[in-house]
Amino acid sequence: MRKTVLAKARILLSNAHCCNSPRQAHNLLSPLPSSLSRFLSSSSPSPSPSMAPPVSLHTINPKVLKCEYAVRGEIVSLAQRLQQELEVKPGSHPFDEILYCNIGNPQSLGQQPITFFREVLALCDHPALLDISETHGLFSADAIQRAWQILDQIPGRATGAYSHSQGIKGLRDKIAAGIEARDGYPADPNDIFLTDGASPAVHMMMQLLIRSEKDGILCPIPQYPLYSASIALHGGTLVPYYLDEANGWGLEVSELKKQLENAKSKGIAVRALVVINPGNPTGQVLAEYNQRQIVDFCKQEGLVLLADEVYQENVYVPEKQFHSFKKISRSMGYGEKDISLVSFQSVSKGYHGECGKRGGYMEVTGFGPDVREQIYKVASVNLCSNISGQILASLVMNPPKVGDESYESYIAERDGILSSLARRAKTLEEAFNRLEGVTCNKAEGAMYLFPRISLPEKAIKAAQDAKTAPDAFYCRRLLNATGIVVVPGSGFGQVPGTWHFRCTILPQEDKIPAVVSRLTDFHKSFMDEFRD
Amino acid sequence: MQILNTIIRGAGDGVLVPVPQYPLYSAAITLFGGSLVPYYLEETANWGLDINDLQHAVAEAHTKGITIKAMVIINPGNPTGQCLSEANLREILQFCYRENLVLLGDEVYQQNIYQDERPFVSARKVLMDMGPPLSREIQLVSFHTVSKGYWGECGQRGGYFEMTNIPLQTVDEIYKVASVSLSPNVPAQIFMGLMVNPPKPRDISYGKFVRESQDILESLRRRARIMTDGFNSCRNVVCNFTEGAMYSFPQIRLPPRAIEAAKKAGKVADVFYCLKLLEETGISTVPGSGFGQKEGVFHLRTTILPAEEDMPAIMASFKRFNDEFMEQYEDYRGYSRM
């Protein structure tokens, strides 16, 4: 963004005005100096020197100022600037390229989309292709068949038209069937709200649940900062519960109880519990007994369970398996009347990695019809989610089956990606654990590693002098030395006095050795510089 | 929604919104806890906007302790279709300057213009033409979409807003909130790129592109006429011409007995009328009360989008229903209004 002298002057001017004269409503009856009598005449107006612009830092919604989202925060902005510098002046930095390990964005780092999914999307976007014979030579037969099926479910075959605000019914039917096949328990298409990724669905629930700052939402620490940002934007209170790093980022119900009581004693009404499973940034996959405890806890305390399950296809260890909270609840005999549960899924993660398409859904169960009506109403203000994303969600929940023409290649693509992710998770985890003063829990799932660094006192002091959090200081140095972009742990929350950073496992496998060696070299020289 | 959420701090913040309006504005302002301050468009003056009315609305809001921060204009209008002239836009911009408001220019129908007297002119162009200091001070956010025009790609969910004279630090904050949702969907971004940069003369697809887009626009223009005339042929219906956008917003004068019957059925009069219309003819419309209207005046909004060949039959069906409805409820003692 260009910073012109004029713009800077204007900012200074508006800030100064804000400090000197708080905005006041116009009062037509009070006597006005002649310079301010402009609105009594219809000739050319003059600006009010004492009025801050309506849209300026001091006059916008304070909740906007309060909300933070480190995944694309300061470090990333710096990385983008460095990247531009490299483009303009190659060799201006001690690295050839910026490696974005800050965000779970697989396709930006070379992961290929699933062929079958893209075939279906292409045919749906340009149905004229289905009427020409050449198409049969270019697209697989089952993709063609699926595209016909989908188009038949869209009124007028118009993928450019607004759909039902919960998403196209036929696609929701498919998704519900997919959920049932996954869990062994029925799902109702009317419980499904298709959204542009999981994030808007999370926002909708926060909007629904949060009435004031007296309403609290229990969130894991560390957490994916969508939750803290959304709670801030909706004016609520984040009630943290700490995951246990010493025990593989375990979730203890005793900790949940403790934080709940603590919040209550401060007059906070806790409305919901957010659980991210598999975890982000921590990667832990919950054990079944753990999940049952959590369900019971929510039921007893009357909390809505917000289950972020977007990494359900990303499990890398044989000893753990993904179980949806819906399945767990139903297996415990709990139905619609027993527990309010919202499950979030996305097309951005898994093996499909279709982040840019913005597809996802929430499955809403255990709410009365009057509340459901309200959720529908809010969804309808934005009309509907984008159709490509809707189609993808139905494909993700209903991929090629045994016997389909694309099945073999689909499985090969899927397993290739997932096994590669598992290898990368292991390699990076081992690399981090070899670094001096660094411990890193295994990534059982998701797409991240969250190593803990013990920073020497000297480093912490240097960070303070630079007016930066110590982990941000480390991450900045790492970026400047190696071009590797990671997100400081403070962006996710951590036990005070501990420092982490989140690094994705997403660079392509052939780039991983370079990442490891650059990081290792950097860490050594950092420690050499700051070792106590 | 993003911009309104940025602007509105609480109930003390007011947003000037035209009545009738596209109810996204009322919904969003409510959701964000702000105050909607209406300014009425004048139906008898072709849904025109009067600066004195605006002045009055602002003053009244002040007495209630509301600080107006923004003014919404929908140009071309929804549901009303009127196109603002350059003079109009200049007046509005000067008004915003005097009252220290940010202008929110909903210009999503900028390609849907069905008359030649008032072609579309963007608020930004008018602002820039005004030159400094105004062109460097008046704050403006302009909105566009791939959903309307001749593309009609509603399902893609593509659009953009352009900020003018918003301080850089505030832009950073807006960027920050945008980043929480990561990014708009990529296919829609591609569509937008195509929308603002369509095939040029000598491109292979140019001929086809021109034919397709012109056909659609010319047909919309014809349909706007057919509907307006069809509504005006009913004795109790007055309909301003659809100068732009995609809707017709006829005023339906309802006899007192119809209004009574509606009350008995527990419905607002125009809702009652529209429900009956749907039941009798299958024509689904939105009652004017959904958009806001003056007390005791009733409208319905219909789109001009049904296929051109179906239009005559649709208008005939409507007229039949309307005439029967009037026969049923008329008692020759007078009408609901005007």
Side-chain angles (χ1 to χ4, degrees):
Chain A
M1 280 170 267
R2 288 170 296 135
K3 278 187 155 52
T4 63
V5 172
L6 181 62
K8 270 193 180 141
R10 262 188 283 124
I11 292 169
L12 284 170
L13 213 58
S14 69
N15 288 347
H17 293 156
C18 295
C19 298
N20 295 337
S21 48
R23 280 191 100 246
Q24 291 171 19
H26 277 197
N27 186 343
L28 285 170
L29 301 176
S30 66
L32 300 158
S34 54
S35 62
L36 294 178
S37 62
R38 66 207 167 273
F39 57 83
L40 296 177
S41 78
S42 55
S43 55
S44 53
S46 52
S48 161
S50 63
M51 203 66 65
V55 186
S56 66
L57 223 49
H58 298 272
T59 53
I60 57 173
N61 183 357
K63 297 187 212 130
V64 164
L65 297 172
K66 193 162 166 233
C67 120
E68 293 297 334
Y69 185 68
V71 176
R72 282 202 155 158
E74 205 192 301
I75 301 271
V76 182
S77 305
L78 173 59
Q80 282 162 346
R81 277 204 296 282
L82 295 179
Q83 182 165 41
Q84 277 167 0
E85 282 168 24
L86 272 179
E87 276 164 28
V88 167
K89 213 173 142 203
S92 53
H93 291 283
F95 46 84
D96 292 328
E97 57 173 350
I98 300 285
L99 215 46
Y100 288 99
C101 299
N102 59 303
I103 181 170
N105 200 9
Q107 290 191 27
S108 73
L109 294 175
Q111 181 174 306
Q112 293 302 300
I114 299 295
T115 307
F116 177 79
F117 294 167
R118 287 305 185 90
E119 282 186 315
V120 174
L121 277 179
L123 292 167
C124 288
D125 253 340
H126 192 37
L129 288 171
L130 292 167
D131 293 328
I132 58 179
S133 55
E134 290 93 316
T135 301
H136 293 273
L138 294 166
F139 291 81
S140 55
D142 50 349
I144 293 172
Q145 196 182 50
R146 188 74 77 102
W148 275 121
Q149 251 177 46
I150 292 170
L151 288 168
D152 281 341
Q153 287 159 348
I154 301 177
R157 301 216 172 129
T159 54
Y162 292 128
S163 74
H164 185 286
S165 291
Q166 283 179 244
I168 294 160
K169 176 68 172 32
L171 298 179
R172 284 186 279 129
D173 289 342
K174 270 278 189 294
I175 291 170
I179 294 172
E180 184 167 344
R182 179 195 70 195
D183 294 345
Y185 292 95
D188 184 345
N190 293 320
D191 290 342
I192 311 231
F193 287 77
L194 282 157
T195 48
D196 289 300
S199 301
V202 171
H203 286 307
M204 255 197 266
M205 289 316 298
M206 293 304 175
Q207 183 164 66
L208 190 81
L209 292 169
I210 296 173
R211 295 162 297 190
S212 74
E213 72 267 14
K214 289 210 162 42
D215 281 334
I217 309 282
L218 272 161
C219 288
I221 300 294
Q223 46 102 44
Y224 173 51
L226 163 68
Y227 293 96
S228 43
S230 190
I231 292 166
L233 279 172
H234 293 102
T237 297
L238 191 153
V239 179
Y241 67 89
Y242 289 86
L243 300 176
D244 187 358
E245 184 161 16
N247 282 304
W249 294 115
L251 197 165
E252 293 300 319
V253 179
S254 54
E255 166 70 5
L256 292 178
K257 285 200 170 101
K258 178 175 133 201
Q259 297 297 350
L260 176 64
E261 293 312 314
N262 190 14
K264 277 190 194 167
S265 70
K266 292 193 203 143
I268 306 277
V270 179
R271 309 270 279 153
L273 169 70
V274 172
V275 181
I276 311 174
N277 182 43
N280 176 5
T282 50
Q284 89 284 14
V285 177
L286 294 171
E288 270 189 78
Y289 80 88
N290 213 180
Q291 287 183 276
R292 283 195 288 269
Q293 288 175 321
I294 293 164
V295 169
D296 266 329
F297 173 76
C298 288
K299 185 176 184 317
Q300 277 149 28
E301 302 293 343
L303 305 179
V304 175
L305 178 52
L306 302 174
D308 179 337
E309 299 178 329
V310 302
Y311 295 102
Q312 56 188 262
E313 307 256 13
N314 301 101
V315 178
Y316 309 128
V317 294
E319 65 269 18
K320 289 282 183 73
Q321 233 193 319
F322 169 77
H323 301 284
S324 77
F325 269 101
K326 172 122 175 296
K327 173 170 134 184
I328 299 287
S329 309
R330 295 292 179 268
S331 72
M332 293 164 78
Y334 294 149
E336 287 278 333
K337 296 200 176 27
D338 300 300
I339 179 161
S340 302
L341 166 65
V342 184
S343 317
F344 303 98
Q345 167 63 315
S346 168
V347 306
S348 303
K349 310 301 175 189
Y351 54 86
H352 16 95
E354 295 282 17
C355 302
K357 302 291 186 187
R358 313 314 286 113
Y361 68 78
M362 61 177 179
E363 184 189 8
V364 179
T365 55
F367 290 82
D370 45 358
V371 174
R372 290 281 303 280
E373 238 180 75
Q374 295 298 313
I375 300 175
Y376 173 82
K377 182 181 75 177
V378 171
S380 73
V381 176
N382 282 322
L383 290 144
C384 68
S385 64
N386 85 82
I387 307 299
S388 295
Q390 291 189 33
I391 293 173
L392 259 174
S394 77
L395 294 171
V396 161
M397 294 309 286
N398 226 300
K401 306 265 183 303
V402 176
D404 291 349
E405 181 182 312
S406 300
Y407 180 72
E408 299 293 344
S409 54
Y410 156 77
I411 285 290
E413 286 175 354
R414 183 194 77 176
D415 290 351
I417 289 168
L418 289 175
S419 56
S420 172
L421 284 166
R423 283 192 299 273
R424 285 177 268 170
K426 194 104 201 75
T427 305
L428 284 170
E429 177 217 324
E430 284 165 356
F432 285 130
N433 275 311
R434 282 196 295 268
L435 301 177
E436 179 188 344
V438 177
T439 54
C440 187
N441 281 339
K442 186 159 48 172
E444 297 184 333
M447 290 179 174
Y448 315 97
L449 286 162
F450 200 61
R452 178 173 164 183
I453 29 174
S454 344
L455 290 169
E457 274 308 312
K458 261 174 85 180
I460 297 181
K461 174 106 195 4
Q464 276 165 2
D465 291 341
K467 292 196 172 37
T468 320
D471 49 10
F473 179 77
Y474 180 91
C475 294
R476 224 188 153 93
R477 283 290 199 100
L478 171 65
L479 170 59
N480 280 317
T482 66
I484 297 172
V485 192
V486 298
V487 189
S490 37
F492 303 87
Q494 53 206 347
V495 169
T498 66
W499 313 108
H500 302 77
F501 61 83
R502 187 188 80 166
C503 180
T504 71
I505 59 172
L506 298 175
Q508 286 303 294
E509 250 178 305
D510 56 6
K511 283 215 150 71
I512 296 284
V515 171
V516 170
S517 70
R518 275 196 268 166
L519 225 142
T520 307
D521 289 343
F522 160 77
H523 188 82
K524 183 169 184 311
S525 56
F526 183 91
M527 293 305 279
D528 284 343
E529 188 182 339
F530 291 107
R531 201 176 286 113
D532 292 318
Chain B
M1 306 259 300
Q2 263 179 276
I3 296 298
L4 283 173
N5 188 39
T6 305
I7 293 172
I8 295 172
R9 294 166 295 189
D13 280 342
V15 181
L16 274 164
V17 175
V19 176
Q21 48 103 40
Y22 172 53
L24 165 67
Y25 294 97
S26 43
I29 292 166
T30 303
L31 277 171
F32 301 131
S35 293
L36 190 154
V37 179
Y39 65 91
Y40 288 85
L41 301 175
E42 183 47 61
E43 187 162 12
T44 57
N46 206 25
W47 295 116
L49 192 167
D50 185 354
I51 295 288
N52 291 316
D53 279 348
L54 282 174
Q55 219 62 87
H56 180 81
V58 170
E60 223 189 289
H62 286 152
T63 65
K64 295 187 198 150
I66 294 174
T67 311
I68 312 257
K69 293 197 70 185
M71 173 175 175
V72 173
I73 53 167
I74 311 174
N75 179 39
N78 175 6
T80 49
Q82 88 286 11
C83 298
L84 295 171
S85 66
E86 265 198 66
N88 270 161
L89 284 166
R90 258 195 309 273
E91 258 190 319
I92 290 164
L93 284 161
Q94 282 165 350
F95 172 78
C96 288
Y97 187 62
R98 287 197 302 272
E99 302 295 336
N100 202 34
L101 311 176
V102 53
L103 181 61
L104 304 179
D106 179 337
E107 298 176 331
V108 302
Y109 295 101
Q110 55 186 265
Q111 299 268 143
N112 299 100
I113 310 290
Y114 310 128
Q115 41 71 37
D116 302 315
E117 293 80 44
R118 268 178 306 286
F120 173 75
V121 156
S122 76
R124 190 164 197 275
K125 177 166 195 301
V126 175
L127 174 58
M128 292 298 129
D129 284 346
M130 285 162 94
L134 300 184
S135 61
R136 296 207 196 121
E137 307 240 3
I138 301 177
Q139 296 191 313
L140 166 67
V141 185
S142 316
F143 303 90
H144 201 7
T145 178
V146 304
S147 301
K148 311 299 174 188
Y150 50 82
W151 321 275
E153 294 280 7
C154 304
Q156 308 296 343
R157 313 321 283 113
Y160 68 77
F161 60 85
E162 182 185 14
M163 298 174 283
T164 305
N165 296 327
I166 306 291
L168 290 169
Q169 283 178 297
T170 309
V171 172
D172 284 345
E173 293 295 321
I174 293 172
Y175 172 80
K176 180 183 73 177
V177 175
S179 76
V180 178
S181 294
L182 292 146
S183 79
N185 85 77
V186 176
Q189 295 187 45
I190 295 173
F191 265 101
M192 222 129 54
L194 295 170
M195 174 181 89
V196 299
N197 212 336
K200 305 267 186 300
R202 290 200 294 270
D203 288 347
I204 292 176
S205 295
Y206 180 71
K208 191 169 192 171
F209 161 75
V210 168
R211 271 193 312 276
E212 286 176 350
S213 51
Q214 290 300 89
D215 281 352
I216 291 168
L217 288 175
E218 280 160 18
S219 172
L220 283 167
R221 193 181 266 237
R222 287 191 298 268
R223 283 181 269 173
R225 194 81 253 162
I226 295 173
M227 276 208 132
T228 306
D229 292 345
F231 284 128
N232 278 318
S233 75
C234 302
R235 58 195 165 83
N236 62 312
V237 179
V238 171
C239 189
N240 284 337
F241 176 61
T242 298
E243 297 188 340
M246 286 181 176
Y247 312 98
S248 194
F249 199 61
Q251 184 191 144
I252 321 281
R253 300 170 185 176
L254 295 171
R257 274 179 50 208
I259 301 176
E260 269 164 47
K263 245 197 222 127
K264 272 210 193 89
K267 301 254 179 268
V268 177
D270 51 16
V271 175
F272 181 73
Y273 182 91
C274 290
L275 282 169
K276 288 256 177 248
L277 172 64
L278 172 63
E279 281 163 27
E280 303 290 324
T281 66
I283 298 171
S284 172
T285 58
V286 188
S289 37
F291 304 88
Q293 51 204 352
K294 286 195 178 147
E295 184 72 43
V297 185
F298 305 107
H299 301 81
L300 57 82
R301 188 190 82 165
T302 168
T303 70
I304 60 169
L305 300 174
E308 209 175 328
E309 59 263 28
D310 296 338
M311 279 276 175
I314 292 172
M315 294 318 291
S317 178
F318 171 83
K319 188 162 162 49
R320 223 173 10 251
F321 159 81
N322 179 69
D323 292 349
E324 280 164 17
F325 183 94
M326 290 304 284
E327 267 209 50
Q328 196 189 346
Y329 290 104
E330 216 163 14
D331 62 0
Y332 302 100
R333 266 186 282 147
Y335 284 89
S336 59
R337 172 107 201 97
M338 293 201 200

